[in-house]
Amino acid sequence: MSLRIITLGQINEALHFATVNAAQLAELGFQPLDNRAVCEGLPPDAAKPLRTARIYRAEALPLICAALLQRLAPNAAPAAAAPCPPFERKCADDTEGGGTD
């Protein structure tokens, strides 16, 4: 099983209509993942930047976008219209096959 993750910084890069911090995400119901569990088994160079970052499941990004859109514009169009692109970051161990470009 591979876990797809995204950092708080990457969430903010993907959001074109808001900037959030960890406390605001928690208020919306999104809790960061346990850094230690995520970093376990990753190569040291891949784990190092993740040890202190706020990390979330990449699959949560569309839900975060919808929640923020609803909070910022409660009478706006349905959440599916959220102006947030899909974004995901694969863990370092998701590079099976080692294909070339």
Side-chain angles (χ1 to χ4, degrees):
M1 180 179 118
S2 66
L3 177 66
R4 297 182 194 284
I5 59 170
I6 186 171
T7 66
L8 179 57
Q10 291 166 325
I11 289 171
N12 280 314
E13 287 174 14
L15 297 176
H16 298 291
F17 61 97
T19 300
V20 295
N21 59 41
Q24 290 166 320
L25 287 178
E27 186 180 313
L28 292 170
F30 300 97
Q31 296 295 330
L33 298 170
D34 174 40
N35 295 60
R36 189 177 311 173
V38 171
C39 292
E40 207 169 277
L42 290 179
D45 58 331
K48 186 176 180 179
L50 300 178
R51 283 194 194 112
T52 57
R54 299 279 185 168
I55 50 180
Y56 300 82
R57 293 186 179 277
E59 294 80 10
L61 185 60
L63 301 174
I64 291 169
C65 292
L68 285 171
L69 185 65
Q70 183 62 34
R71 164 115 358 138
L72 295 172
N75 297 322
C84 186
F87 185 94
E88 65 181 34
R89 176 184 180 134
K90 295 182 180 183
C91 291
D93 60 351
D94 283 354
T95 57
E96 294 176 7
T100 59
D101 291 279

